[in-house]
Amino acid sequence: AELKQLQNDPNFIVELAVGPPLPDLVPQTPGTGLEWHKKYFKEPQRFIMKKATLSSDDFRAWDAKGRLIYNAFHPGKNPYEAVDVLGLTNEKDKYQKQWFGEWGFHCDVAGHNGWPAFEVRPKAFSRHGTQYIRPRRNPKDKDSPEPVLCVGKMSRTKTKSVRHWHFAGAGDNTKEWHVKTTVDLAARTVQFFNRDDELVAFMQKSLKTLIQNAAFGTGSESLLDVAAGYDCSAIVAVVFALNQVGAHAVKDAISNFVVEPLMDAGTDAVIEYTGTEALVKEYGQGVNWAVKKLHEGKRLGRFKGFFS
């Protein structure tokens, strides 16, 4: 299909490489697409997605007015991992004491300003990295709530595409999708299509992020636009789940109990062989001090409005 488009429309190669230059969102009739908390608007809505400070896996989302609506977090993961790139300090032990390592498959998303909290969990057995979105479980309840949405990868034998495609469906029904998404080859944009191949949402890296990536190799800010008449709560939840596709407890267990111990043993051997124990100790103390100050600053930030 893509080959035919390339033959008939030379401009399609641009869309294939970096995404459409002028995406045109198609207004929808409320109730005809993927639904969750039915947050419908008469005009297209914009949301800002960005990685949490010093974290590589946790994302936050704001609405166009700058109000925080979601922040994702992984219990047991060190929120200051970007400071300790070499992993030579014991700072992460404070966050992993009760978790025995880092478990990336366990993703909780807190809601703010009227947006519902939810959690993303992997399907027990899946060839396509399927994730379930369900309301946050009440600690007093024994059973987890039923999934409200599901997200996973689409087989390339079905899509016949060089691009990566994902699906999003209602409940735990992975065979009947309501939305499909694709990423351009440069990983600059994500397009969301309904069953009629109408563009209902579009996510792109902001100009700020493109500049930061070119200059420093960093930058995580993305802009998400949702068409008028489509449930924004469903689309935003799908975006968080897309980041989790492929995560699983088995992969984390192998990382925590096999890969990480081998890497730590290798690091210790190199340090001992090169005689840099004193230097590493000084480095660790510096990182611990930096994390302590960052944590203190974060706590003080909570009282910022108290004195204004």
Side-chain angles (χ1 to χ4, degrees), residues 6 22 32 35 46 65 77 102 108 110 176 181 183 189 197 205 208-209 223 225-226 242 268-269 276 281 297 302:
L6 288 172
L22 296 172
T32 57
E35 278 189 315
R46 167 160 289 187
K65 296 182 179 179
K77 286 186 67 67
E102 295 191 353
D108 292 335
E176 185 177 353
T181 74
V183 183
T189 64
D197 284 332
K205 291 182 178 179
K208 174 183 175 182
T209 294
L223 305 177
D225 295 312
V226 182
L242 285 173
D268 293 341
T276 55
K281 182 178 180 181
R302 298 173 183 173

Side-chain angles (χ1 to χ4, degrees), residues 7-78:
Q7 294 173 342
N8 299 328
D9 183 10
N11 293 325
F12 179 68
I13 192 171
V14 177
E15 180 178 339
L16 189 68
V18 296
L22 296 172
D24 188 16
L25 297 178
V26 180
Q28 301 292 301
T29 302
T32 57
L34 202 61
E35 278 189 315
W36 186 17
H37 275 268
K38 300 182 180 180
K39 286 187 175 290
Y40 296 107
F41 298 91
K42 295 181 180 179
E43 299 294 333
Q45 297 297 303
R46 167 160 289 187
F47 303 91
I48 299 95
M49 314 288 295
K50 191 174 182 179
K51 283 185 179 180
T53 307
L54 304 180
S55 174
S56 59
D57 296 311
D58 298 332
F59 280 82
R60 295 172 180 168
W62 291 263
D63 63 14
K65 296 182 179 179
R67 296 175 298 191
L68 179 67
I69 60 173
Y70 280 125
N71 69 285
F73 56 96
H74 296 72
K77 286 186 67 67
N78 179 10

Side-chain angles (χ1 to χ4, degrees), residues 83-102:
V83 178
D84 184 18
V85 180
L86 300 179
L88 297 178
T89 72
N90 59 358
E91 190 63 32
K92 62 182 181 181
D93 296 341
K94 298 179 181 179
Y95 304 95
Q96 300 176 3
K97 186 178 296 184
Q98 298 177 349
W99 291 85
F100 302 103
E102 295 191 353

Side-chain angles (χ1 to χ4, degrees), residues 111-239:
H112 307 275
N113 292 304
W115 290 74
F118 61 92
E119 57 188 33
V120 183
R121 297 290 186 271
K123 184 179 179 181
F125 301 100
S126 174
R127 293 183 294 108
H128 304 296
T130 302
Q131 303 288 318
Y132 290 143
I133 300 172
R134 60 194 188 200
R136 287 282 298 276
R137 184 176 69 87
N138 189 325
K140 298 181 180 179
D141 296 336
K142 294 182 179 180
D143 300 325
S144 298
E146 292 296 320
V148 292
L149 303 171
C150 60
V151 178
K153 292 184 292 186
M154 300 181 75
S155 172
R156 288 200 174 186
T157 57
K158 293 182 179 180
T159 63
K160 295 180 175 60
S161 172
V162 297
R163 295 177 291 180
H164 292 287
W165 287 82
H166 294 80
F167 69 86
D172 59 356
N173 187 356
T174 59
K175 296 182 178 180
E176 185 177 353
W177 59 268
H178 290 260
V179 171
K180 61 179 181 180
T181 74
T182 185
V183 183
D184 63 65
L185 298 181
R188 178 179 171 270
T189 64
V190 183
Q191 302 177 68
F192 297 73
F193 298 96
N194 63 10
R195 292 174 176 173
D196 297 323
D197 284 332
E198 296 174 333
L199 188 66
V200 297
F202 182 75
M203 187 166 68
Q204 61 183 323
K205 291 182 178 179
S206 66
L207 179 61
K208 174 183 175 182
T209 294
L210 295 176
I211 294 174
Q212 288 178 330
N213 285 336
F216 310 108
T218 61
S220 63
E221 184 178 271
S222 297
L223 305 177
L224 172 65
D225 295 312
V226 182
Y230 208 93
D231 186 3
C232 294
S233 66
I235 293 293
V236 175
V238 166
V239 171

